[in-house]
Every structure is written in structure tokens, then in C-alpha cells.
Amino acid sequence: MTAVLHDTTSLRAVYGAFPTGVTAIAALVDGEPAGLAASSFTTVSLAPPLVSVCVAHTSGTWPVLRRAGRLGVSVLGAGQGALCRRLAGPAAERFAGAPWRADEDGAVLLDGSAAWFTCSVDDEIRAGDHDIVVLRVHDLRLDRDVDPLVFHASSFRSLLPRPQEPR
């Protein structure tokens, strides 16, 4: 089956066949948390430690976040689908009821996530209707007890339960 490449509905459907994790990119800006949800997060390099995220040119939040010296990247946990939806909604409501903390550099990290990165912008590359933002990792943490939230076929999903280890 061949998709018509200028048909964004078909493109979204086919792109959606690839499951991804979901992240929150957030920071304190002017003393308030600002953030957005992104499923386009990926690792880039081990040395130096780099990750990337793609941000739409139409984003009103990215220009605000871009001003922050440090950004928090939270890999959302399986139980954080509603939080992800809020992060994609109106800016004033994104952090309502969400437990978060800011580090000394202003990176905002969401509690209940599977992993966290503290990053700074290393490079931005224009790519179609998005920018690829390369982030340098300064600190990171992992919670092995939290499974990640998965985005697939326009729905949130979780991984299958972990098998019990033999005793």
C-alpha cells in the first residue's frame, strides 16, 4: 500500500505504527513551570551524552522554554497518560495537580516518571515543520520500578507486566 505523501492523515497513521515513549520537557521560566509533551524524544550520543526532541515551529511553548538555562526531561510513567494530555493542553493548566520539583538550575522534573534528564540546548536543526533540538545531558536518574508510558496508534499504552523472577 502506498501513501500519498502530502496526505497528513495518512502520514500520521503510518507514523503512529511506530511506538514511542512520551516525555515532558519543562523548566522554570520567570519563576513558573513551563513545559510541553513530546513523543519525538530519542538518544543521540554516549560521548558526549546527547539526546534530542523535535518541536513544531507552531509551538508557543518552545520559545519560552528555549530561554531557560536548563531543561528537565521526564520520561513519563505508564500511569501518567492524563498528565500527558494536560501537558498538550492550555499552558495555564499544564501543571495543575501534577507533582513536580525544580532543581537548583530551574529544570522541572515530574514525580512518578520512569526516568529524568537535566539538559541544556546544544544545537537546533531546522527540519521541515519542526526543529530537531539536540540536548546535552548534565544529570540523569532512573526509577526501575516505573514502566514508561507508550504512545502507539494515537493511544497511550503500557508495556506488558514484567514476568516474575524465580525465587
Side-chain angles (χ1 to χ4, degrees):
M1 179 174 154
T2 303
V4 179
L5 291 182
H6 65 283
D7 176 1
T8 57
T9 302
S10 295
L11 279 170
R12 283 181 187 270
V14 175
Y15 287 173
F18 181 69
T20 64
V22 184
T23 60
I25 314 299
L28 286 179
V29 179
D30 300 328
E32 295 293 323
L36 54 84
S39 63
S40 59
F41 173 84
T42 192
T43 59
V44 175
S45 171
L46 293 173
L50 300 172
V51 295
S52 71
V53 65
C54 295
V55 182
H57 292 159
T58 58
S59 172
T61 304
W62 177 244
V64 173
L65 283 174
R66 180 67 180 86
R67 298 183 357 227
R70 289 283 197 262
L71 300 171
V73 178
S74 300
V75 178
L76 297 182
Q80 293 180 307
L83 173 57
C84 183
R85 282 186 179 76
R86 271 200 320 277
L87 288 167
E93 300 169 16
R94 291 184 183 171
F95 292 89
W100 59 272
R101 65 191 180 285
D103 71 8
E104 63 277 358
D105 295 316
V108 170
L109 304 167
L110 299 170
D111 294 341
S113 295
W116 301 267
F117 300 85
T118 301
C119 303
S120 61
V121 175
D122 192 75
D123 199 4
E124 291 181 76
I125 303 149
R126 192 165 182 86
D129 58 3
H130 281 63
D131 286 328
I132 302 168
V133 181
V134 180
L135 302 170
R136 183 172 297 264
V137 177
H138 298 282
D139 196 12
L140 65 157
R141 225 176 52 162
L142 172 68
D143 186 338
R144 293 184 191 278
D145 294 328
V146 176
D147 284 332
L149 182 64
V150 176
F151 190 67
H152 176 251
S154 299
S155 296
F156 295 121
R157 301 171 191 258
S158 60
L159 299 175
L160 293 175
R162 296 178 186 170
Q164 295 289 338
E165 293 190 24
R167 295 181 188 234

